[in-house]
Amino acid sequence: MRRSTQSAVEDPKVDAPRPKSVLARNRAFLFLWSGESISLLGSEISVVALPSLAVLVLGTGAVGVGALVALQWLPFVLLAPIMGVFTDRLRRRPLMQVANVARCVILGSLPLAAVLGHLTLAHLYVAALLKGVFDVVFQLAYQAYIPQVLDRADLVEGNVKTQLSKSIAMTVGRSAGGGLVSLIGAARAVAADAVSYVIAAVLLLFIREKEPRPAPVERGLAATLRDIRGSIALTLGNRVLRSLTLTLTFGNMAVSSTLAMIIVYAYQDLHFSAGQLGLALSLGSVPVLVGAALSQRISGRLGMGRTLVLTHALLGLAFALLPAAMLGGKQFAFAVVVVSQGISSFTGPLTNVAIITLIQKATPVQAMGRVNGVALPFVWGANALGPVVGSAVAAMTGNVVAFILAALLAWAAIGWIFRGAVQQLTDDVPDHLRISV
């Protein structure tokens, strides 16, 4: 699995220059990352295709689409702590295989039912919920498996590549999803996502390294409940992990509340057309690729802790800029929205790489599932709560106040960074701040 480090006396080749890219050095990560990149692209296609299936084929409305989206993230909030425990009890690669095959079957059942004329809204809802369950299984196993495959020094580069894949998938996948829905229909577009999971599962078969057997643990309901309680204490009791979790929670709530209101703001207050709004959001999403490409260089220059301070300061600035769009004409408003969205999207990969890497470096491999299982409900709960808070504030006080609140939430995340002294961390976590299990 991970290569052992030997001294120059033991291995005279240790001083030989290594290939620059981790993909050239690490065959296991190459297949892992390639499969994840393909499935991420498929998932972004389904972001458009699944709601389109609900609206265009089954005739549901906004409430039905909202329920469809909610069913996909609900398992992250409810099941992640339990699945985190089982992730640490089992081998991670078989878990990813099961999750990929299951998601292929679940999504594949939708176009099959559509062809046979038996697709129903209940079927779509059940498929969305089950897909969410296996999304949890895969994400926890994937995040726990990366530190097993990569050397500690390669974690940043590995996380950068994963974030770059996510950024490209977000930029390309949703456009491709819309195009596929137009060309071949929503049901067949969902089939494309199902095929992506087959490819990811096949690529995992090419990883030949044996995964260590997890240490034996006590089984049963009582033992599982004790492990869940212990996971919470393990994660929230550690200064670094607690601060990183709350930083991500506040930042995600700020972003999700803004995403809920930017469309309303553009139509009601700025009087954008649908085409102008779409173009503004598209242009504003391009910097996510720049952020992903530069994240390793920036975090290497500033240190990961100070990078997090910078990204959340910029994130708050991006949201605080939005009310200024009302101070000029439509071209000025368009420019403000593009700049605001550009700053926000640029910070996303930088934040994710720094937080994920620090969590990995603060957590032993055998506890990664439990730690991520505790963190995910905070992160996804923030994604769910943000739109509710943003729309409620906007309804009571106006869109401008909602954006100011989002800025304050982003800046409040900086308080958690300093509370945990995370700003002092550079590219690693000192031994005394790591979890010991």
Side-chain angles (χ1 to χ4, degrees):
M1 195 59 60
R2 292 195 298 173
R3 298 177 302 279
S4 61
T5 302
Q6 295 177 306
S7 69
V9 174
E10 294 170 316
D11 185 357
K13 296 183 292 184
V14 79
D15 291 327
R18 297 195 301 174
K20 289 185 177 180
S21 173
V22 68
L23 299 179
R25 299 195 304 270
N26 193 316
R27 180 176 177 271
F29 180 74
L30 171 63
F31 289 118
L32 177 67
W33 171 77
S34 298
E36 173 67 348
S37 299
I38 292 169
S39 66
L40 283 170
L41 183 61
S43 296
E44 291 300 325
I45 291 173
S46 280
V47 167
V48 177
L50 282 178
S52 297
L53 190 60
V55 174
L56 300 177
V57 178
L58 299 174
T60 189
V63 174
V65 171
L68 178 67
V69 174
L71 285 170
Q72 293 178 73
W73 59 251
L74 190 61
F76 282 88
V77 178
L78 300 181
L79 295 181
I82 300 172
M83 288 310 307
V85 169
F86 285 103
T87 300
D88 286 342
R89 290 181 177 184
L90 303 169
R91 287 188 173 99
R92 282 74 184 262
R93 188 156 63 100
L95 282 175
M96 289 188 287
Q97 289 281 36
V98 169
N100 281 329
V101 172
R103 289 184 291 182
C104 172
V105 172
I106 291 164
L107 290 178
S109 72
L110 295 173
L112 179 61
V115 168
L116 297 176
H118 297 308
L119 182 64
T120 64
L121 191 59
H123 182 175
L124 183 59
Y125 283 164
V126 171
L129 179 63
L130 290 177
K131 177 183 179 296
V133 169
F134 286 100
D135 283 342
V136 174
V137 174
F138 182 87
Q139 285 303 317
L140 289 174
Y142 180 83
Q143 290 299 332
Y145 191 57
I146 285 180
Q148 291 181 244
V149 172
L150 292 176
D151 291 329
R152 193 174 182 85
D154 288 332
L155 284 174
V156 175
E157 185 180 350
N159 290 324
V160 166
K161 284 183 165 44
T162 299
Q163 289 301 314
L164 185 59
S165 296
K166 288 182 179 179
S167 301
I168 293 173
M170 287 180 63
T171 305
V172 176
R174 296 182 188 184
S175 300
L180 286 173
V181 169
S182 299
L183 289 173
I184 62 177
R188 290 186 178 89
V190 172
D193 188 10
V195 170
S196 75
Y197 290 122
V198 174
I199 298 172
V202 170
L203 286 171
L204 284 174
L205 294 175
F206 288 94
I207 298 177
R208 302 301 184 191
E209 288 82 350
K210 278 193 172 183
E211 189 175 355
R213 183 186 296 274
V217 295
E218 186 180 351
R219 307 289 179 173
L221 179 60
T224 301
L225 292 176
R226 282 198 303 272
D227 281 349
I228 292 173
R229 290 193 297 269
S231 302
I232 295 171
L234 197 69
T235 305
L236 301 184
N238 178 274
R239 190 186 84 190
V240 171
L241 295 180
R242 181 175 61 249
S243 296
L244 292 173
T245 299
L246 292 172
T247 297
L248 194 55
T249 299
F250 274 71
N252 278 9
M253 188 177 294
V255 171
S256 61
S257 66
T258 303
L259 289 174
M261 296 313 304
I262 187 70
I263 295 175
V264 177
Y265 179 61
Y267 285 139
Q268 290 183 350
D269 297 332
L270 305 180
H271 309 293
F272 281 13
S273 67
Q276 288 170 326
L277 174 59
L279 180 59
L281 295 179
S282 296
L283 292 174
S285 69
V286 172
V288 73
L289 299 175
V290 180
L294 295 180
S295 55
Q296 186 171 5
R297 183 177 300 178
I298 292 173
S299 63
R301 179 69 61 87
L302 297 179
M304 291 183 189
R306 284 186 289 182
T307 296
L308 288 174
V309 175
L310 173 65
T311 56
H312 286 86
L314 289 174
L315 189 63
L317 174 63
F319 300 149
L321 279 176
L322 285 170
M326 300 178 64
L327 300 179
K330 189 170 287 189
Q331 288 184 338
F332 176 78
F334 182 87
V336 170
V337 171
V338 170
V339 170
S340 171
Q341 293 298 292
I343 295 173
S344 175
S345 62
F346 173 77
T347 64
L350 289 166
T351 298
N352 291 338
V353 167
I355 287 182
I356 291 171
T357 303
L358 288 175
I359 288 175
Q360 290 168 340
K361 292 193 172 185
T363 309
V365 170
Q366 64 269 28
M368 280 296 302
R370 283 168 285 167
V371 167
N372 284 320
V374 172
L376 279 182
F378 284 89
V379 174
W380 283 86
N383 287 337
L385 185 60
V388 176
V389 172
S391 57
V393 170
M396 291 185 294
T397 61
N399 294 324
V400 168
V401 177
F403 292 136
I404 297 300
L405 174 62
L408 293 175
L409 284 170
W411 289 330
I414 299 175
W416 289 110
I417 295 171
F418 281 96
R419 181 70 182 269
V422 174
Q423 79 282 359
Q424 298 175 4
L425 302 179
T426 53
D427 63 347
D428 209 340
V429 177
D431 289 341
H432 70 280
L433 294 178
R434 299 176 193 168
I435 288 178
S436 57
V437 292

